[in-house]
Amino acid sequence: MKKARLWKSFVPVVVNLLLGIPAVVPIFLTWYFLSNGPLAELGWTQRNPNEDDGMLLWLIFVVPAVGCFGGIWALTNLWIRRKLFTEGRPSMYWAVSVALVLAPYFLGLGFA
């Protein structure tokens, strides 16, 4: 009984950490778009001086990348939540899932 429970809690951790590896691309694209667009307009960041193509080009890359990854991540976690985690608070599951997906990106920032 305890072995099955441990396995059930181990699966979403591994899946979300593995999904966090390809998530580096859409997270970086989103940050790049925001830092060169809206955040630069507010004066919170400085634009890349070589970025003179405009923001529409970046939206062509960012929206499909984030949408595709977000769909895969959400559907995978909905399936895992429904099959393995029938008890417990859903908000806690989703908060931990988001943190685990973001972990490889922030870990990579630490090494850069």
Side-chain angles (χ1 to χ4, degrees):
M1 185 79 152
K2 284 188 178 190
K3 204 174 215 181
R5 189 174 194 172
L6 180 64
W7 180 81
K8 282 184 175 184
S9 61
F10 189 63
V11 169
V13 170
V14 170
V15 167
N16 282 300
L17 282 175
L18 288 176
L19 282 173
I21 295 169
V24 169
V25 173
I27 294 169
F28 172 76
L29 287 174
T30 302
W31 169 248
Y32 192 83
F33 172 75
L34 290 174
S35 66
N36 284 302
L39 296 179
E41 291 294 325
L42 292 171
W44 294 356
T45 62
Q46 289 186 343
R47 286 184 198 262
N48 182 351
N50 297 326
E51 187 57 56
D52 58 357
D53 294 331
M55 289 291 104
L56 182 61
L57 179 63
W58 279 105
L59 281 176
I60 292 171
F61 292 113
V62 172
V63 171
V66 171
C68 182
F69 176 77
I72 291 169
W73 177 80
L75 290 173
T76 303
N77 277 292
L78 283 170
W79 184 79
I80 290 173
R81 172 91 173 115
R82 192 173 337 142
K83 293 291 183 184
L84 298 178
F85 281 88
T86 54
E87 71 277 343
R89 294 188 345 221
S91 60
M92 186 61 138
Y93 174 83
W94 289 105
V96 170
S97 295
V98 168
L100 288 170
V101 163
L102 294 175
Y105 180 76
F106 289 116
L107 188 66
L109 283 178
F111 287 121

